[in-house]
Amino acid sequence: MIMPNFLIIGVPKAGTTALYQYLRQHPQIYMSPMKEPRFFALEGEKPHPYDPINRRSITSLQAYHELFNEVSDEKAIGDASPSYLFSSKATKRIQNYIPDARLITILRQPVERCYSHFLYFVQKGYVPATDFK
């Protein structure tokens, strides 16, 4: 069964989606067709069905493997899940399943990132506030 050989981790609102989209266009790179499967953070868990962030996460090894069924001769195989950076469980799971994987970590100036994340939450209706203060 094929597993990724690199992971994109990092903070939300720092450019992981853009990097994911750029890498998907490269002929020698296979990116999981699902951005942010969050498998290593949530393996074996059952996210609440009304959880807007994690409800569509991949939590079984079989389902995670299925994300990579279409890999052919690509040299780099990736998963972009920023949540791995913050998950206390992801580190051990990554070490267990793909110990030689390379990690691409994306960070952003903290206040700018926080404000961008706040605007995203307001846009999605996750927070009622419209004043960042």
Side-chain angles (χ1 to χ4, degrees):
M1 294 192 178
I2 296 174
M3 293 289 271
N5 54 24
F6 77 94
L7 301 171
I8 299 172
I9 65 175
V11 296
K13 313 313 290 172
T16 57
T17 299
L19 181 58
Y20 168 81
Q21 294 295 345
Y22 296 140
L23 293 175
R24 286 185 70 189
Q25 297 174 39
H26 194 286
Q28 293 181 322
I29 299 174
Y30 181 90
M31 292 301 297
S32 161
M34 175 187 193
K35 183 182 179 278
E36 298 189 43
R38 300 180 187 94
F39 170 72
F40 297 111
L42 299 172
E43 180 187 19
E45 297 179 22
K46 294 193 182 223
H48 192 280
Y50 298 112
D51 176 346
I53 305 295
N54 294 317
R55 70 175 174 228
R56 290 185 293 256
S57 298
I58 301 296
T59 59
S60 76
L61 182 59
Q62 178 181 346
Y64 189 67
H65 280 295
E66 289 173 6
L67 294 175
F68 303 98
N69 281 344
E70 301 297 319
V71 172
S72 55
D73 60 348
E74 292 87 358
K75 293 181 192 242
I77 303 163
D79 165 355
S81 294
S83 61
Y84 296 158
L85 182 65
F86 301 104
S87 169
S88 60
K89 298 174 183 178
T91 305
K92 289 181 182 176
R93 292 173 180 158
I94 292 166
Q95 182 65 33
N96 178 52
Y97 287 114
I98 49 173
D100 296 325
R102 295 182 182 242
L103 303 178
I104 299 171
T105 306
I106 301 178
L107 303 173
R108 183 175 176 183
Q109 198 278 344
V111 175
E112 289 178 11
R113 190 218 59 82
C114 185
Y115 183 65
S116 177
H117 207 167
F118 166 77
L119 292 177
Y120 173 78
F121 273 30
V122 169
Q123 175 191 19
K124 293 291 186 181
Y126 299 154
V127 296
T130 55
D131 184 10
F132 185 59
K133 293 178 190 177

